[in-house]
């Protein structure tokens, strides 16, 4: 087993901070100054949306990678990556409200209710919000076993985002499909996690029968 | 003698971002890999190339056109800057990203070109490259362009009415529709080579109009914009512009116009019939199944903070076409 020193961890976290924040701030800066191509709103929505999905998938890669490389400390970068996934997703949602809908609140509500791809995207955001709000260690300790239950919703959130993405494109589904493949691969790495509870329920139903 | 009258459409000097600055900005963006998240996964090659700026080496050369400005088609609306009109395009033959056509179409060959007009006509006609800009008197028309994706532009097109062609070829009485076809050239159009680049559209791209729509004085065959010949990303050397319909009806780089007695197939309708109909008239009351069409974002100058959300008007504000659809249920014929 390789040990990651505190120094290494700090370096990794610094890279995550910079790698997430710098592009986000730069993109907003360019969008405000009309330097983001023909339609800065569309460019910003794409950037923040894809960015959120990239970061979420990266956070789901951390634990299989830590296992594979046998570097347990790597897990300690996961929360930070997850929080940045939420930051990007929130930027995506706020960009939609402020720059796409331009604060037309009645439309925001009807869009979330009536447009399925927006409904699922919003649901994914709510899950990420709950996870971020309960990400502090103190909260984790207080919530006990419920914390893990809540944070298992991340898989649903990822699936909803993949659905939101493939549903939102006009006809060019190549890229959304690539994302689906990556996500399914990441979920398959955890198949035991999903199968165990299923087996348990089967046993209980048998016993009951 | 050539008389060139600059119209009111000519954008004021201070409103225009200098081209070199604009390109410079794009280069910075590209070098950081920010142009189009799509480039990250879909085409690693083009990404690698753009990092080194190779795809900017070749720039398609447009040339000035002689034309008249007609008062009727002038406009007080703020124009979309040329730099945006020519870099924010849907032309899936060159990729599905908005900046793909400008990046990948610069080497497109338009001369020689052949545009064949035939089908149910008395006198079929074939136009060569030179004919496109010389055979019919050119005029400048400022039209609103409303994309089905709920954004819009205001563009000074140069062209001539499609009616001029129709009156020359003399449609037979059996002719009821006009079918249009884009060039098919897999060598030059990467989107036609691979369905992963071309968004799954069945090429060549085809479009159609009813004969009375085609003959309407607003229906324009465009050969230029902003006083010059069209760049490839905007549909060089000749394209259709039907300002009261969603942008995808305005087919680009046309090689064939055929008069028919039956409603011709149209590309987006074939791809997703529930979302795109034959008529595709701009209509704020009929939503796209996945998004609202009640409003649009007008793309002009100004970045993120400009308040550019406006109401979409019936027929994109071109009320004079309403009689064409009298008695038709536009919810059904979307």
């Amino acid at each position: 087993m390789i040990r990651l020193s505190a120094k290494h961890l700090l370096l990794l976290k610094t890279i995550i901070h910079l790698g997430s924040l710098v592009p986000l701030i730069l993109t907003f800066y360019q969008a405000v100054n009309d330097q983001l191509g023909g339609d800065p709103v569309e460019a910003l929505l794409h950037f923040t949306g894809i960015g959120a999905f990239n970061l979420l998938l990266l956070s789901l890669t951390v634990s299989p990678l830590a296992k594979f490389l046998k570097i347990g400390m790597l897990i300690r970068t996961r929360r930070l990556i997850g929080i940045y996934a939420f930051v990007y997703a929130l930027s995506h949602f706020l960009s939609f409200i402020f720059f796409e809908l331009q604060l037309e609140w009645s439309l925001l509500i009807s869009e979330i209710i009536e447009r399925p791809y927006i409904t699922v995207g919003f649901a994914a955001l709510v899950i990420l919000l709950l996870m971020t709000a309960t990400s502090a260690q103190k909260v984790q300790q207080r919530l006990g076993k419920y914390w893990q239950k809540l944070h298992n919703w991340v898989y649903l959130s990822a699936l909803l985002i993949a659905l939101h993405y493939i549903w939102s494109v006009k006809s060019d589904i190549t890229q959304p499909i690539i994302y689906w493949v990556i996500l399914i691969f990441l979920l398959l790495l955890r198949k035991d996690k999903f199968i165990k509870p299923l087996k348990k329920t089967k046993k209980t139903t048998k016993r009951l029968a | 003698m050539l008389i060139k009258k600059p119209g009111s459409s000519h954008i004021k000097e201070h409103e225009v971002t200098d081209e070199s600055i604009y390109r410079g900005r794009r280069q910075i963006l590209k070098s950081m890999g920010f142009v189009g998240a799509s480039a990250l996964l879909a085409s690693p090659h083009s990404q690698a190339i753009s990092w080194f700026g190779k795809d900017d080496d070749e720039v398609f050369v447009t040339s000035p056109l002689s034309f008249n400005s007609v008062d009727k088609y002038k406009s007080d609306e703020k124009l979309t800057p040329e730099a945006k009109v020519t870099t924010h395009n849907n032309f899936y033959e060159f990729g599905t990203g908005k900046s793909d056509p400008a990046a990948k179409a610069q080497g497109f060959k338009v001369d020689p070109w052949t545009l064949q007009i035939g089908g149910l006509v008395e006198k079929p006609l074939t136009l060569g490259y030179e004919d496109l800009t010389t055979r019919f008197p050119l005029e400048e028309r400022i039209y609103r362009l409303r994309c089905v994706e709920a954004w819009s532009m205001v563009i000074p097109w140069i062209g001539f009415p499609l009616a001029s062609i129709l009156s020359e070829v003399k449609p037979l009485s059996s002719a009821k529709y006009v079918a249009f076809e884009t060039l098919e050239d897999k060598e030059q159009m990467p989107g036609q080579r691979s369905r992963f680049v071309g968004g799954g559209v069945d090429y060549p791209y085809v479009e159609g109009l009813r004969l009375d729509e085609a003959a309407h004085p607003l229906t324009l065959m465009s050969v230029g914009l902003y006083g010059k010949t069209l760049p490839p990303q905007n549909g060089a050397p000749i394209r259709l512009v039907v300002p009261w319909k969603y942008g995808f009806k305005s087919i680009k780089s046309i090689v064939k116009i055929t008069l028919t007695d039956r409603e011709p197939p149209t590309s987006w309708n074939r791809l997703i019939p529930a979302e795109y109909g034959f008529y595709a008239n701009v209509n704020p009351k009929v939503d796209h199944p996945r998004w609202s069409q009640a409003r649009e974002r007008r793309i002009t100058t100004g970045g993120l903070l400009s308040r550019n959300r406006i109401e979409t008007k019936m027929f994109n504000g071109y009320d004079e076409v309403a009689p064409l659809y009298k008695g038709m249920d536009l919810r059904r014929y979307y």
Side-chain angles (χ1 to χ4, degrees):
Chain A
M1 187 172 156
I2 308 164
R3 272 201 65 83
L4 214 60
S5 73
K7 227 185 193 175
H8 288 142
L9 191 65
L10 186 70
L11 182 70
L12 259 178
K13 284 190 173 180
T14 310
I15 291 170
I16 294 165
H17 277 296
L18 291 177
S20 308
L21 278 176
V22 172
L24 187 64
I25 292 166
L26 207 64
T27 306
F28 266 98
Y29 173 82
Q30 284 163 333
V32 168
N33 291 292
D34 201 11
Q35 296 171 1
L36 217 53
D39 186 359
V41 178
E42 188 193 295
L44 185 64
L45 284 172
H46 283 184
F47 173 77
T48 50
I50 286 287
F53 203 9
N54 284 343
L55 285 163
L56 191 66
L57 291 177
L58 187 64
S59 77
L60 292 179
T61 313
V62 171
S63 75
L65 193 70
K67 256 185 229 162
F68 179 74
L69 298 175
K70 297 190 170 57
I71 313 175
M73 282 269 271
L74 216 50
I75 290 291
R76 294 183 45 188
T77 61
R78 191 173 60 178
R79 179 175 66 180
L80 191 59
I81 299 172
I83 289 173
Y84 273 118
F86 169 70
V87 169
Y88 268 68
L90 186 66
S91 308
H92 183 66
F93 181 64
L94 293 178
S95 299
F96 177 66
I97 295 176
F98 282 96
F99 309 124
E100 172 77 40
L101 298 184
Q102 299 181 8
L103 299 174
E104 210 179 308
W105 297 105
S106 60
L107 195 63
L108 172 68
I109 294 159
S110 68
E111 290 280 279
I112 289 177
I113 297 169
E114 286 168 26
R115 316 267 168 215
Y117 83 96
I118 296 178
T119 316
V120 298
F122 185 73
L125 178 71
V126 171
I127 294 173
L128 293 183
L129 170 71
L130 291 175
M131 289 175 61
T132 305
T134 56
S135 64
Q137 243 158 16
K138 274 187 188 160
V139 183
Q140 183 178 359
Q141 282 157 6
R142 197 177 301 168
L143 287 176
K145 63 174 182 180
Y146 295 109
W147 188 89
Q148 189 55 54
K149 268 191 180 162
L150 172 67
H151 282 244
N152 279 343
W153 284 64
V154 70
Y155 306 114
L156 177 64
S157 175
L159 286 165
L160 291 174
I161 291 174
L163 187 62
H164 170 70
Y165 184 24
I166 202 163
W167 223 333
S168 69
V169 298
K170 220 161 118 197
S171 76
D172 41 332
I173 53 169
T174 315
Q175 212 172 293
I177 285 175
I178 294 170
Y179 273 84
W180 268 105
V181 170
I182 295 170
L183 175 60
I184 288 167
F185 174 71
L186 287 171
L187 293 180
L188 281 177
L189 290 178
R190 298 165 161 83
K191 61 180 189 295
D192 294 344
K193 192 171 182 166
F194 302 113
I195 290 166
K196 253 186 220 160
L198 278 179
K199 276 184 181 163
K200 239 186 227 167
T201 21
K202 255 188 199 166
K203 264 184 200 165
T204 13
T205 24
K206 256 185 199 168
R207 219 176 293 151
L208 283 171
Chain B
M1 194 178 80
L2 298 172
I3 302 166
K4 190 174 166 184
K5 290 182 229 157
S8 64
S9 68
H10 284 260
I11 197 160
K12 291 181 191 80
E13 201 68 37
H14 68 267
E15 287 178 343
V16 181
T17 305
D18 187 79
E19 188 168 345
S20 63
I21 294 173
Y22 192 85
R23 288 192 185 281
R25 287 170 179 169
R26 292 192 61 73
Q27 198 51 53
I28 292 166
L29 280 177
K30 277 188 172 182
S31 65
M32 306 186 81
F34 286 154
V35 178
S38 60
L40 286 171
L41 270 170
S43 50
H45 293 295
S46 70
Q47 184 69 7
I49 288 167
S50 66
W51 273 340
F52 299 107
K54 271 186 193 159
D55 63 355
D56 274 4
D57 284 359
E58 197 173 11
V59 177
F60 184 87
V61 181
T62 57
S63 41
L65 287 168
S66 305
F67 55 87
N68 291 309
S69 277
V70 189
D71 278 344
K72 195 181 164 200
Y73 297 112
K74 285 180 180 169
S75 167
D76 297 330
E77 285 175 289
K78 188 175 179 184
L79 296 183
T80 304
E82 186 180 358
K84 289 198 173 189
V85 174
T86 57
T87 54
H88 190 78
N89 308 96
N90 277 326
F91 198 175
Y92 282 18
E93 280 82 343
F94 295 100
T96 55
K98 294 285 185 295
S99 54
D100 287 344
K104 294 178 184 169
Q106 295 306 304
F108 188 58
K109 301 273 179 296
V110 295
D111 185 12
W113 193 267
T114 310
L115 169 58
Q116 286 181 312
I117 303 113
L120 302 173
V121 296
E122 274 179 38
K123 293 196 273 174
L125 178 67
T126 300
L127 299 175
Y129 178 73
E130 287 295 322
D131 301 327
L132 301 178
T133 49
T134 54
R135 177 122 182 182
F136 305 97
L138 300 179
E139 52 186 87
E140 183 178 64
R141 295 185 177 192
I142 297 170
Y143 280 163
R144 295 176 288 276
L145 176 101
R146 170 62 156 80
C147 179
V148 73
E149 297 164 5
W151 52 267
S152 63
M153 292 183 173
V154 183
I155 303 171
W157 300 106
I158 315 281
F160 55 88
L162 176 56
S164 310
I165 292 185
L166 294 175
S167 63
E168 243 186 69
V169 297
K170 296 197 169 59
L172 300 175
S173 60
S174 53
K176 298 282 182 289
Y177 293 92
V178 185
F180 304 84
E181 194 177 308
T182 296
L183 176 74
E184 185 172 27
D185 186 344
K186 291 186 173 67
E187 293 271 308
Q188 292 204 76
M189 293 169 153
Q192 293 183 343
R193 282 201 298 274
S194 156
R195 62 176 291 115
F196 300 113
V197 181
V201 176
D202 191 7
Y203 294 108
Y205 194 85
V206 288
E207 258 307 336
L209 294 172
R210 232 166 47 192
L211 184 56
D212 56 346
E213 295 176 322
H216 194 278
L218 278 175
T219 305
L220 190 73
M221 295 300 292
S222 170
V223 294
L225 56 83
Y226 271 101
K228 292 165 287 188
T229 50
L230 290 171
Q233 60 269 35
N234 296 88
I238 187 160
R239 65 170 293 170
L240 182 69
V241 180
V242 194
W244 73 92
K245 291 176 181 284
Y246 292 121
F248 66 85
K249 293 295 289 183
S250 293
I251 182 171
K252 293 169 169 175
S253 306
I254 304 169
V255 291
K256 217 185 263 178
I257 299 177
T258 313
L259 283 93
T260 66
D261 54 357
R262 247 169 280 177
E263 186 181 286
T266 58
S267 286
W268 277 98
N269 176 249
R270 271 200 305 215
L271 189 62
I272 318 175
E275 298 187 348
Y276 309 98
F278 174 79
Y279 285 93
N281 291 319
V282 175
N283 189 341
K285 293 195 198 88
V286 178
D287 283 349
H288 186 282
R290 286 182 286 159
W291 55 82
S292 165
Q293 296 290 24
R295 278 152 203 273
E296 64 203 49
R297 272 185 307 102
R298 175 63 55 82
I299 295 174
T300 55
T301 50
L304 205 50
L305 304 176
S306 60
R307 311 232 71 68
N308 56 359
R309 199 173 159 80
I310 56 173
E311 294 204 353
T312 292
K313 291 185 186 144
M314 188 65 208
F315 299 121
N316 202 18
Y318 297 96
D319 296 327
E320 59 263 55
V321 300
L324 293 173
Y325 309 102
K326 220 174 139 189
M328 270 176 77
D329 179 2
L330 295 177
R331 250 170 218 291
R332 192 171 155 215
Y333 297 100
Y334 54 89

